[in-house]
Amino acid sequence: MSLFTFKGGIHPPYEKELAKGSPIQTAGLPKSLTIPLVQHIGAPCAPVVEAGDVVKKGQLLGKGESFVSAPVHASASGKVKRIEKSLHPLGQPVLSVVLEPDGNEETAYMTPMGGDPGTLDPEAVKARVKDAGIVGLGGATFPAHVKFSPPKDKPIDTFILNGCECEPYLTADHRTMLERTDDMLLGAKMIGRILNVRRIIVAVENNKKDAIETCKKSAHAEGVEFSVTATKYPQGGEKMLIKAVLGREVPSGGLPMDVGVVVSNVGTAVAVCEAVRDGKPLIERVLTVTGNAAKSPGNWLVKIGTPIGEVVEQAGGTTGTVGKLIIGGPMMGIAQSSFEVPVIKGTSGILLLREEAYMKEGYLPCIKCSFCVQVCPTRLLPSRLSVLAEAEAWEKMEEYGVNDCIECGSCAYVCPSKRPIVQLVKAAKIKVREIKKRENA
Amino acid sequence: MGKEQSAMVLSISPHIKSKESVRRIMLSVIITLLPAVGYSIYQFGLHALFMYCISVATCLVSEWVVVRLRKRPFSLRDGSAIVTGILLAMVLPPKFPLYGVVLGAVVAIVIGKQIFGGVGYNIFNPALIGRAFLAATYPVFISSYVQPRMALDAVSQATPLAAMKFEGVMTSYRALFLGGTGGSLGETSALFLLVGAVYLLVKKYIKWRIPLSIFLTVAVLGEIFHLINPAKYPDPLFHLFAGGLMIGALYMATDMVTSPITKRGSVIFGCGIGVLVVFIRLLGGLPEGVMYAILFMNAFVPLINRATKPKIFGTGGRDER
Ligand code: SF4
Ligand code: SF4
């Protein structure tokens, strides 16, 4: 079988064995939930509850006025203790609703719409996706309804369900594909209904043999196509996946819809299915607790707002000195300073890495080995970018495509000089944006 | 849980790194050079051993002093100074005076490398800068060669290239390949150099397009000249195995720091060197041109990199990095 893939990329140690065999377990109710009012890319939500209010599970807590925004809901029934700024995995403190669960788990879901995609009204489904607060669960957290609303002049012909999960260590999507196959495919068909596409394709990396077998049969029965891609990082990057599966190249600075494609993560499809069929908003998600400092790695269904520390403890705690606590995977995840940050919609994993010497090592000048050039999936010159960033030549960096960088980290992974290329690129992107703003002002 | 974990590292992604390091690359280069080094010591005796030791020691000391003076954090641990030291000795004639070796090594490190800012910043191959300096300072020493212990050919003291150029005498392939000819310490055995380089090629520590395009260019051009006048010009095989071509193409031109970072750039760079080598050898005033060809092309690397900048994903171009 020939595999679909793209040029460039890397083969880091995948370490999926740690957690891939353990079925999804449901995490218990924590003492307190901290539910941030921003868990998506876009305008923040304003709270619609007040301290002292008693809420039901699934009740709306906050919503935004703007179209590019996703409402947040209570992930348990209980009492609103406070609404205050608190720690957020993305760094900046964010206004959050602190909820004390009462343990009754009384629900206030939306009206179920039925589970037959063929009879559903696409507009109503789209509205439901919005009301349920669904965002891209792969980690990008872009509001799903926005993604499902391409402008009229960008017809969409293909919907790709992204089950690549190319980030090392993480296995949440893998387990979802195995255990929630039918809901996932139903969700995919609902999304297909909204987008009115001809083709729905499930894409899975060939290192998930069991998931491929399970999904393939069901997919074919449902009239959904299936595509096995090579195991290579970042195969799950939207642009790389579209290139691999359809051979189309998303234009520089463009979006998948520019080539008639929408890509969503498998978890997102399950969330859509639950929201439409059961009326359940996005209040919990599957994530992987893993790493060599995790005592018993596994996959957990966790309520949004649960402090990371509680999840880790329920999952057996840590072993050895934790050198790094990472939200997400090792390639693109974000290192945290505290176990108090809450699980949010975009939390695909909690990665605990043992302290090791390399974490504190410095870096050397670029020795022009060109390793980074060969692996960059967007064909940039990462070495050049990093040198230009050190020289603060921001304008020049724009010319060298800094904004095309998907921050996948492949370059920094292979760099023998251990240069912090992604860090430099991130800083440069902010600078470039500032300069643009000043010019336009 | 919580507060006590304040020591957790907060660096930006990626949080895992490959095992590659500058030190590892340099160590691999050193190890793969050892067969050729050992063979040259066997062939040329103790003086060769002294030359290696002194060259490496001087490189290390000069590097240490300069790094100290510039108050730079880089240590000697990356091993690049050792590589420069070995390579410098390898491109010097077997009986080169030791004080000359010291001088060449100092120039290689100080002028060839540190003036530009140290490892990674230099434009020219440091070992070749050292040798070029010695060639200008000691023109007599640099061109006096002795026969190796196991001379496989009856040719005089001269190197095969000089013999070809000035006396019209050819050296046998067997001698060239196995290393029984006159020449610099490291350039006499193509076989040992090739064996070492294969490992580096597999590890991707050398950009294979560079040696390959050098070899192809030299072979094709050599063949053309040979066809025009077989009596005067040697055939391509002679070109490939004689003189500094092997060590130059495999170990000098492929120096990461001073070669292009793109694939197309590597081909242009290699072809450029190949053309220059043949022209200098056959039409120029010198018997050997590998060193100057590489140094000359080193100067064009920034330009080549700029000219071969790959088309970014999604801009309509083909993948030709
Ligand atoms: S430059 Fe950007 S896109 Fe290219 S490898 Fe590095 S992080 Fe990935
Ligand atoms: S991998 Fe690192 S050392 Fe090599 S060219 Fe890229 S930035 Fe430079």
Side-chain angles (χ1 to χ4, degrees):
Chain A
M1 183 172 39
S2 77
L3 295 171
F4 296 96
T5 194
F6 62 99
K7 288 230 179 95
I10 55 170
H11 296 277
Y14 287 95
E15 306 291 353
K16 304 244 187 202
E17 301 302 324
L18 288 174
K20 78 174 193 192
S22 79
I24 302 167
Q25 290 165 273
T26 307
L29 205 55
K31 286 184 289 299
S32 168
L33 291 159
T34 305
I35 304 170
L37 289 166
V38 191
Q39 300 185 35
H40 54 266
I41 295 176
C45 295
V48 299
V49 291
E50 281 172 21
D53 284 1
V54 173
V55 295
K56 288 184 180 160
K57 180 176 172 181
Q59 191 176 323
L60 188 69
L61 295 181
K63 63 174 189 202
E65 290 306 317
S66 125
F67 179 65
V68 187
S69 183
V72 296
H73 303 81
S75 36
S77 65
K79 195 166 165 190
V80 176
K81 298 297 278 183
R82 304 180 290 280
I83 297 175
E84 61 175 18
K85 285 217 165 179
S86 48
L87 287 176
H88 189 278
L90 295 182
Q92 301 288 339
V94 158
L95 197 63
S96 310
V97 176
V98 181
L99 193 69
E100 191 180 72
D102 55 17
N104 296 337
E105 292 290 83
E106 240 180 294
T107 57
Y109 288 173
M110 296 165 285
T111 334
M113 298 169 70
D116 179 6
T119 62
L120 290 169
D121 167 22
E123 284 309 311
V125 178
K126 199 198 286 179
R128 174 53 59 89
V129 170
K130 178 172 194 288
D131 294 340
I134 298 175
V135 300
L137 293 188
T141 66
F142 192 71
H145 65 275
V146 183
K147 218 179 200 180
F148 301 158
S149 311
K152 286 246 151 40
D153 59 332
K154 304 249 154 83
I156 304 297
D157 59 27
T158 309
F159 171 63
I160 300 179
L161 193 58
N162 186 353
C164 288
E165 199 167 47
C166 59
E167 268 276 4
Y169 287 95
L170 303 188
T171 56
D173 289 351
H174 184 174
R175 293 310 307 185
T176 302
M177 285 187 280
L178 268 180
E179 298 177 35
R180 305 291 303 273
T181 319
D182 294 339
D183 289 356
M184 173 189 92
L185 291 172
L186 187 54
K189 290 182 80 172
M190 289 167 173
I191 297 167
R193 176 90 182 151
I194 302 177
L195 295 167
N196 191 23
V197 290
R198 277 190 291 113
R199 301 173 72 185
I200 300 176
I201 306 174
V202 185
V204 184
E205 276 190 349
N206 72 337
N207 61 351
K208 304 172 189 51
K209 295 274 187 275
D210 48 353
I212 292 170
E213 222 162 89
T214 314
C215 293
K216 209 172 194 169
K217 263 187 237 125
S218 317
H220 285 156
E222 294 282 339
V224 169
E225 291 171 61
F226 201 83
S227 146
V228 179
T229 67
T231 301
K232 182 162 74 169
Y233 180 86
Q235 184 66 73
E238 285 189 341
K239 292 184 177 188
M240 278 70 246
L241 189 58
I242 295 169
K243 174 82 182 177
V245 174
L246 299 171
R248 302 179 195 169
E249 234 174 67
V250 177
S252 158
L255 291 168
M257 66 179 181
D258 293 324
V259 289
V261 186
V262 166
V263 182
S264 281
N265 168 271
V266 291
T268 312
V270 173
V272 168
C273 167
E274 289 181 339
V276 175
R277 188 187 57 195
D278 314 328
K280 182 181 162 192
L282 180 56
I283 52 173
E284 54 190 9
R285 69 156 297 147
V286 181
L287 56 82
T288 310
V289 180
T290 184
N292 57 5
K295 202 167 256 164
S296 50
N299 304 289
W300 294 79
L301 181 67
V302 183
K303 288 185 193 307
I304 305 296
T306 310
I308 298 292
E310 293 232 10
V311 184
V312 172
E313 240 155 58
Q314 285 201 33
T318 58
T319 145
T321 313
V322 180
K324 261 191 182 181
L325 164 64
I326 297 149
I327 300 275
M331 293 304 297
M332 292 184 76
I334 300 171
Q336 305 293 322
S337 59
S338 161
F339 277 91
E340 258 133 62
V341 292
V343 168
I344 62 169
K345 293 173 183 174
T347 308
S348 51
I350 300 171
L351 178 60
L352 299 147
L353 293 180
R354 253 187 234 163
E355 188 165 27
E356 268 171 78
Y358 77 86
M359 292 177 179
K360 289 177 181 162
E361 254 168 30
Y363 63 94
L364 290 172
C366 169
I367 58 161
K368 324 257 164 61
C369 65
S370 92
F371 292 172
C372 57
V373 179
Q374 305 312 329
V375 299
C376 177
T378 43
R379 303 200 287 266
L380 303 174
L381 296 176
S383 62
R384 195 85 194 103
L385 287 174
S386 74
V387 171
L388 288 172
E390 280 175 329
E392 307 195 351
W394 314 122
E395 266 111 351
K396 195 104 197 153
M397 287 184 77
E398 210 185 340
E399 199 181 300
Y400 274 85
V402 68
N403 285 323
D404 285 290
C405 168
I406 58 169
E407 297 173 21
C408 68
S410 301
C411 51
Y413 174 82
V414 295
C415 179
S417 288
K418 310 293 166 198
R419 294 173 64 73
I421 306 173
V422 177
Q423 187 175 343
L424 293 166
V425 163
K426 282 188 180 190
K429 279 185 180 172
I430 294 170
K431 289 282 177 197
V432 169
R433 219 175 301 141
E434 276 173 12
I435 292 171
K436 273 270 148 69
K437 222 188 245 161
R438 230 178 299 138
E439 274 170 6
N440 293 341
Chain B
M1 219 162 242
K3 320 282 180 286
E4 80 278 15
Q5 294 282 5
S6 57
M8 291 188 301
V9 181
L10 284 178
S11 57
I12 304 280
S13 59
H15 306 287
I16 49 174
K17 304 273 169 75
S18 69
K19 294 219 162 52
E20 300 296 356
S21 68
V22 179
R23 189 176 154 76
R24 201 169 152 132
I25 294 172
M26 296 300 167
L27 267 175
S28 305
V29 173
I30 294 167
I31 290 169
T32 59
L33 279 172
L34 287 183
V37 168
Y39 187 66
S40 65
I41 293 170
Y42 167 75
Q43 287 283 38
F44 298 109
L46 257 167
H47 189 77
L49 178 65
F50 290 148
M51 283 174 65
Y52 283 116
C53 294
I54 287 194
S55 179
V56 169
T58 313
C59 282
L60 283 171
V61 170
S62 332
E63 176 116 325
W64 186 79
V65 169
V66 181
V67 167
R68 264 299 160 103
L69 288 177
R70 297 177 61 221
K71 300 197 170 42
R72 280 303 182 95
F74 315 137
S75 66
L76 301 175
R77 282 176 44 92
D78 63 46
S80 58
I82 302 177
V83 173
T84 302
I86 296 178
L87 286 177
L88 173 66
M90 288 184 101
V91 293
L92 293 177
K95 285 280 181 267
F96 204 74
L98 294 179
Y99 61 86
V101 176
V102 172
L103 200 59
V106 170
V107 170
I109 293 296
V110 178
I111 313 271
K113 183 171 166 193
Q114 290 295 345
I115 273 194
F116 294 96
V119 66
Y121 294 112
N122 49 305
I123 294 172
F124 300 101
N125 185 311
L128 288 183
I129 290 282
R131 186 190 139 117
F133 173 81
L134 293 177
T137 320
Y138 304 107
V140 178
F141 286 132
I142 209 84
S143 51
S144 36
Y145 292 93
V146 292
Q147 280 304 93
R149 170 199 305 240
M150 225 177 50
L152 291 172
D153 208 83
V155 185
S156 68
Q157 308 281 91
T159 65
L161 279 166
M164 177 274 292
K165 182 149 196 157
F166 304 124
E167 299 161 31
V169 183
M170 292 296 170
T171 313
S172 78
Y173 299 138
R174 190 168 146 265
L176 289 172
F177 189 66
L178 294 177
T181 62
S184 306
L185 280 187
E187 63 183 37
T188 55
S189 169
L191 178 65
F192 284 103
L193 291 170
L194 273 170
V195 168
V198 165
Y199 175 79
L200 296 182
L201 283 170
V202 171
K203 295 288 286 179
K204 299 212 173 86
Y205 289 166
I206 52 187
K207 304 161 184 165
W208 60 267
R209 284 176 184 77
I210 297 174
L212 191 73
S213 45
I214 295 177
F215 293 150
L216 282 179
T217 315
V218 167
V220 169
L221 271 184
E223 177 67 24
I224 293 173
F225 276 100
H226 184 64
L227 286 177
I228 294 171
N229 187 353
K232 180 150 182 250
Y233 300 120
D235 63 72
L237 265 183
F238 177 85
H239 272 296
L240 289 182
F241 292 108
L245 194 75
M246 274 297 149
I247 189 162
L250 296 173
Y251 283 93
M252 300 284 195
T254 56
D255 169 24
M256 288 174 169
V257 177
T258 56
S259 59
I261 54 174
T262 60
K263 289 179 185 168
R264 282 187 305 156
S266 299
V267 173
I268 295 171
F269 180 72
C271 291
I273 292 174
V275 170
L276 287 170
V277 166
V278 173
F279 277 79
I280 297 175
R281 277 182 179 180
L282 299 182
L283 310 173
L286 297 164
E288 176 59 306
V290 173
M291 170 182 69
Y292 293 110
I294 295 174
L295 285 175
F296 189 81
M297 289 308 291
N298 280 163
F300 286 98
V301 167
L303 193 72
I304 294 175
N305 279 339
R306 224 168 303 143
T308 57
K309 192 173 119 201
K311 284 248 163 37
I312 296 169
F313 185 97
T315 53
R318 283 200 343 209
D319 188 347
E320 41 189 28
R321 60 192 110 179

